[in-house]
Amino acid sequence: MAQNIAERRAAAGLETVALIFPEAGHALSGNGWMPTTQYNVGLNKSGGTPQANAAAQARAFPETIAFLKRTLRVTEE
């Protein structure tokens, strides 16, 4: 889905950065340090392997913070 969104935004001339992690599941939020070994236990089926989820979280968190800093920058007038 992220790839589809990125392609449509690109077609509209909008700058987009999509972080695509094919082997990761859905639970990529958090601070990048949460254990991922319980993601597919019991009723909590979010997909991906623990290793891929951990790698995706570790990359997504700093990228998200960098995006927020760039986008929400307050300028002095």
Side-chain angles (χ1 to χ4, degrees), residues 38-55:
Q38 298 297 311
Y39 281 5
N40 291 311
V41 175
L43 298 176
N44 296 326
K45 305 280 193 245
S46 60
T49 67
Q51 297 83 0
N53 290 333

Side-chain angles (χ1 to χ4, degrees), residues 16-77:
T16 303
V17 175
L19 302 177
I20 309 294
F21 305 101
E23 301 299 319
H26 294 282
L28 300 182
S29 62
N31 61 9
W33 296 98
M34 299 299 294
T36 58
T37 54
Q38 298 297 311
Y39 281 5
N40 291 311
V41 175
L43 298 176
N44 296 326
K45 305 280 193 245
S46 60
T49 67
Q51 297 83 0
N53 290 333
Q57 280 187 10
R59 177 147 178 237
F61 182 71
E63 294 280 347
T64 300
I65 297 301
F67 166 78
L68 292 173
K69 284 182 177 179
R70 282 191 316 272
T71 305
L72 301 178
R73 180 178 298 142
V74 176
T75 57
E76 302 278 334
E77 289 189 34

Side-chain angles (χ1 to χ4, degrees), residues 1-9:
M1 186 166 59
Q3 184 66 41
N4 291 340
I5 292 168
E7 289 172 5
R8 287 198 177 188
R9 287 182 53 83

